[in-house]
Amino acid sequence: MEAIRPVPRTLLRDRAYAAIRDAIVAGEIEPGAVVRDAELAERLGLSRAPVREAFSRLVDEGLLESKPQSYTRVTPLVAADVRDAAAVVGALHELVTRVAVPRLSAADVAAMSAANERFAATVRAGDVDTALRADDELHDVLVRVSGNRAAAATIARYTPLIRRLERRRFGEGGNCRSAGLHERLIDACAAGDAAEAVRVTAEIWRGLEELAD
């Protein structure tokens, strides 16, 4: 039984955070819905403490809002907030792309291509959630290779705000981000052309800012 050890509290907190965040982004918990720590703790099979910690983090990130002794609820979708988040996240993606492109290996480029194939296939199939995960996987290669932890943390913090609107737009019949833009980005990365890769990255994220309009 030596291999069985208590699960660290931080892991429980992170598990609660990821589950609640994903439910909000997917629209399973709708804007304006009141959330209760006891109810979600029971559904997640956790105690209330890590759920409360997750609530605090989600309030800080703008997905929840809280009035002490009154309520905690999902924030409404506000276009200005999404535009601001997309501008920040886009600028950081340009930064990590500029740094990462000269460092990319053939395996990194292949991973981006494989992610884009999954992205294109799931967009055609109408599987928005899987498409957005594939999109994240593609861009995360550049974030990882850049080695910029501050950029990675900020991107992770604000991307869910953008994803929530993206998913709703696509669910309403809007267009998902173009796999063709991804192909241009991958071609530039494979050629070691950082300037072109940054230009395409800017075009991708400019489209997300426009989505908020």
Side-chain angles (χ1 to χ4, degrees):
M1 300 294 287
E2 292 181 0
I4 300 178
R5 298 181 175 85
V7 177
R9 182 181 180 85
T10 54
L11 294 183
L12 294 177
R13 177 197 63 203
D14 292 345
R15 175 185 161 192
Y17 163 79
I20 299 167
R21 177 203 63 200
D22 291 349
I24 293 171
V25 170
E28 294 171 13
I29 308 177
E30 296 183 349
V34 173
V35 292
R36 297 177 176 83
D37 55 7
E39 178 183 334
L40 287 176
E42 182 177 358
R43 289 173 60 184
L44 293 169
L46 300 172
S47 69
R48 293 169 70 175
V51 173
R52 288 196 197 105
E53 292 176 30
F55 278 8
S56 178
R57 183 173 172 184
L58 290 162
V59 167
D60 186 52
E61 294 180 0
L63 291 175
L64 291 178
E65 57 187 6
S66 182
K67 182 177 180 181
Q69 308 303 319
S70 183
Y71 61 78
T72 300
R73 65 189 179 194
V74 178
T75 55
L77 280 166
V78 179
D81 292 344
V82 177
R83 281 196 302 271
D84 290 347
V88 170
V89 171
L92 289 174
H93 273 292
E94 291 178 45
L95 170 65
V96 299
T97 297
R98 185 176 294 106
V99 173
V101 168
R103 303 178 181 178
L104 290 170
S105 67
D108 293 326
V109 175
M112 293 174 69
S113 295
N116 195 38
E117 289 174 6
R118 291 192 297 275
F119 173 82
T122 50
V123 167
R124 288 193 298 271
D127 185 351
V128 175
D129 291 328
T130 305
L132 292 178
R133 282 196 295 273
D135 184 78
D136 282 336
E137 290 168 10
L138 188 158
H139 292 283
D140 283 350
V141 172
L142 295 165
V143 175
R144 172 180 56 78
V145 172
S146 77
N148 190 322
R149 290 187 293 178
T154 305
I155 288 169
R157 174 174 178 171
Y158 289 108
T159 295
L161 283 173
I162 305 164
R163 287 289 189 241
R164 188 160 62 133
L165 180 61
E166 266 189 295
R167 191 188 184 284
R168 171 163 290 196
R169 288 285 188 262
F170 300 155
E172 294 169 348
N175 293 322
C176 206
R177 270 189 268 179
S178 169
L181 281 175
H182 287 162
E183 289 174 3
R184 286 174 50 199
L185 173 61
I186 293 165
D187 288 346
C189 289
D193 188 343
E196 175 61 13
V198 169
R199 280 193 290 272
V200 177
T201 298
E203 185 174 348
I204 289 170
W205 287 92
R206 189 163 53 248
L208 283 179
E209 288 185 61
E210 293 169 356
L211 182 70
D213 297 328

